[in-house]
Amino acid sequence: MKYHVRIGDEQLEVDIDGETVTVDGTSVLAHVEDLPGTPVQLLTVGREIHRILARRGVAKGQYDLSLNGYRFVIEALDERSKVIRELSGVAGRPAGPAHLVAPMPGLIVRVSVKEGDRVRAGQGLVVMEAMKMENELRATVDGTVRRVLALPGGAVEKGAILLEMEAE
């Protein structure tokens, strides 16, 4: 199955055929398996093993990935979904508020912004600790911080709004 993947400004074409994955013409053997009792998956690419935590995003085809401790917001659409999106005129970027939401329960370690700050897509906003790992949560779109709800040292539940944002 063929997917069109966007990571930031980079566009990739990914074709998955069994355990063979072709990314922009380069093929590798890859395999994903669940780590029992956790939301973590193990991704084997060739001889390398990576830890992945994947959560669905707000929009169709959008995912929030943590790969070896680095966070990425990606969009992955199959060819049918991509054509439907293009024909319907739906923009690839989310519209409206882009609030920062806790992807899992955890403890707030650091808040790197204050109310009124302008932020760029990909900029680190909040660091939270979950499952004994620190995760830096980043802005998904350019915008302005309207309200800071997260406090360092505070515990949060999954889905809690950490920052109220206004998208540009």
Side-chain angles (χ1 to χ4, degrees):
M1 173 159 260
K2 189 178 287 188
Y3 294 92
H4 299 273
V5 179
R6 180 176 52 84
I7 304 171
D9 293 330
E10 187 176 5
Q11 298 281 343
L12 302 169
E13 189 172 288
V14 178
D15 191 7
I16 301 173
D17 183 14
E19 289 194 357
T20 302
V21 178
T22 305
V23 179
D24 284 344
T26 303
S27 296
V28 295
L29 290 178
H31 174 74
V32 176
E33 65 183 83
D34 293 328
L35 193 58
T38 72
V40 176
Q41 296 176 309
L42 296 178
L43 168 66
T44 305
V45 179
R47 300 180 101 162
E48 297 178 8
I49 298 176
H50 305 277
R51 291 172 32 142
I52 295 179
L53 179 62
R55 290 204 167 22
R56 290 190 188 279
V58 178
K60 178 174 176 57
Q62 186 181 57
Y63 298 89
D64 186 28
L65 296 180
S66 175
L67 174 67
N68 295 334
Y70 293 94
R71 184 172 176 268
F72 302 92
V73 175
I74 70 161
E75 181 180 73
L77 297 173
D78 60 31
E79 292 191 298
R80 180 176 178 265
S81 297
K82 183 176 187 258
V83 168
I84 290 171
R85 180 171 286 178
E86 289 170 353
L87 290 174
S88 68
V90 174
R93 299 188 69 94
H99 300 318
L100 182 67
V101 177
M104 63 192 88
L107 183 69
I108 302 300
V109 176
R110 181 173 56 255
V111 178
S112 303
V113 294
K114 61 185 182 313
E115 292 179 12
D117 283 357
R118 292 178 56 108
V119 298
R120 307 287 292 161
Q123 179 179 337
L125 304 174
V126 174
V127 175
M128 71 180 288
E129 181 181 308
M131 299 185 311
K132 298 183 182 179
M133 289 178 53
E134 284 192 2
N135 300 285
E136 183 174 42
L137 306 180
R138 298 177 180 269
T140 56
V141 296
D142 294 349
T144 303
V145 177
R146 288 291 167 222
R147 193 165 157 211
V148 177
L149 301 168
L151 298 172
V156 295
E157 294 296 322
K158 176 182 177 180
I161 296 176
L162 306 176
L163 300 174
E164 287 183 1
M165 306 285 293
E166 183 176 295
E168 292 184 348

